Amino acid sequence: MIINNKALNLTMFHPDNNPNTHPNHNIDAYQAATSFCHSHSLPPLTCPPQLTFQLVEKNVPLNLSSLPTTPLTLPHTLELAKTFYNKSRPKITVQIIESALASLSLDPCESLASSSPPSTIYALNDYLAAAYHASDFLKESERIYSCLHRFNPNDATVLLNLAIVLFSDGEFDKSREVYVTIEKMLNAGASGGSATLALVLHERGHLEFESGAIDVAERYFSNSLKMKKLIIFSQQLESGALSIDETLLRLGMIEMEKARFKRAEEYLSEASWRNENNVDVIAKLQEAKAGPRRNNNVKVKRGLKTATTVRAVKYVTFASDPTKCELQRLLDSAKFNSIEIQVLGQNVKNWKNGNKLKLLKEFTDTMCSENDLVVIVDGYDVVISGSEEEFVERWGDLVEGTGTVVFQADYTFYCPLHNNTISTSMAKNYPTAPTMYRYLSSGGIMGRAKDVSALVGEVLEQYGGGEEWEMKSDQSLFIRWLVDNKGGGGGLKIVVDHFQTLFSGNGGRSRNKDFDVVGGKLHNVVTDSFPVMMHAPGRQRFQREFYELKEKGWELDFRKCK
């Protein structure tokens, strides 16, 4: 439902009034939307939530002095929470539900025993737990799901979600215990049936895959696939039902781990047939087809040193919250290596592509000389593991002439765009690579200031504005430039560090034993390299590898974050 905001006749009075700094703005927007929908005889259940979403997203400041106050009941809260959650706005969903329960002096868990309609309270807590999980508030999500389980111990779906949250938090053993409990419940006839069991088997396979137990993972995924196919056939469901493409994707990835590329291609081709819009499937299918070119046992190739003068090396990261433990962990590791990192974007509340790229362009243009080397790393999921001398040496091994900007390589393809057709095109046309670390990641970038500035300038010029600008991953825009320009153009070239000699990352491969410690140094056993930065993107389970490697003798000092 699209409604022209001008028709609302709302008074704008505070330019900084936005949902990130003023949670009450969400409720104000709901009041205004409800009044508008009522006065225009629009559907009372669906109109206010949809219009509220538009007002909040467009950041319309509100003055409600002339509008009647409409009580926000729990059923209204539920509809509002559903709208924002389904629109992928989990943090606002959390604000809405927490505010509603607080107004009734109810704690989320305690509210389950309240006199309010139990189905509504139960659903609110379910959405709250899911929104906590999507916002990376994992302990809070675990608490709510545990409460829901105590309230309704026969709901296998709640336990499944609890197991997934524990897995996201790196609590593999606890997650595994919950999966065992669910399987016993379902086999004993608990509600959920075969469809839930098929999902449980898939998620258990995911856990075992990331635990490094590839054969065990294959068994769970295979059983899940058999069950999903049987359900789809017997119930005459659509060919892509039950996320069967995701199970086929995982089986294809396992076959690639075992260098059985033909079998991997079969799984991934079927996955693509069942869901032609699954970008991850498309990316891995292209990789499987190029299987013979991929050799994970190829040793690092040292390039020719580029005879150029480096004036200075400057390190920069981006973080909206300067007090966050994960940022301090990065700064600890840098200090251990006598490196100082400048933090940009502090106190920026609403991160988008434009924020980071504009700040980076401004930094390289105003704070650097053109021959300075600039190292750019993510703020909340990175540690520095080498000296400045090692950074310069590794970069020198990778550069291919002037205009080179080096990017970290990752195992997973992550290119989120509003236009899925473009994402699909990027996956289909992404260049091949000699190792499993095929895909560009913007978690680590290094190049001369003038080259970084020029590359960011081109990205700003080619892709600035529009829907993609609102996305939170600048990585997708760099991938577009790489694919559209076939790796280079206009005197610029992107080099992806496929052997992880400079930057390393464990995205999609936590606990897959890609890394160990040799002589106190971080060592990639797949490519026999000694990278000087480690990036653990995403959930806490990836970042746990920082601490496990430290226990194995990694000579590095940084704090532990929970």
Side-chain angles (χ1 to χ4, degrees), residues 193-256:
S194 56
T196 302
L197 181 57
L199 295 175
V200 169
L201 293 173
H202 174 94
E203 294 297 338
R204 176 70 184 273
H206 190 186
L207 183 153
E208 300 301 344
F209 179 81
E210 291 206 7
S211 297
I214 303 300
D215 291 336
V216 177
E218 183 176 18
R219 186 171 70 249
Y220 276 101
F221 284 130
S222 295
N223 289 336
S224 176
L225 179 64
K226 291 176 184 176
M227 188 167 287
K228 287 182 177 182
K229 285 187 172 181
L230 180 60
I231 295 169
I232 289 172
F233 175 77
S234 62
Q235 299 183 18
Q236 296 294 299
L237 302 178
E238 293 183 3
S239 60
L242 302 175
S243 299
I244 192 172
D245 53 307
E246 290 293 331
T247 305
L248 288 161
L249 167 63
R250 291 291 171 176
L251 285 166
M253 291 166 66
I254 287 173
E255 294 298 331
M256 284 198 287

Side-chain angles (χ1 to χ4, degrees), residues 365-380:
D365 287 349
T366 63
M367 303 297 291
C368 305
S369 297
E370 63 176 22
N371 281 326
D372 286 348
L373 277 177
V374 182
V375 179
I376 305 108
V377 297
D378 280 0
Y380 296 147

Side-chain angles (χ1 to χ4, degrees), residues 350-399:
N350 191 20
W351 270 103
K352 296 176 182 178
N353 278 333
N355 297 124
K356 182 174 178 179
L357 293 178
K358 287 180 179 178
L359 285 170
L360 180 55
K361 183 78 166 68
E362 180 182 356
F363 177 80
T364 53
D365 287 349
T366 63
M367 303 297 291
C368 305
S369 297
E370 63 176 22
N371 281 326
D372 286 348
L373 277 177
V374 182
V375 179
I376 305 108
V377 297
D378 280 0
Y380 296 147
D381 51 16
V382 165
V383 294
I384 301 297
S385 59
S387 66
E388 182 166 299
E389 181 182 359
E390 290 173 307
F391 267 96
V392 175
E393 179 187 2
R394 302 292 197 282
W395 177 79
D397 289 335
L398 290 164
V399 294

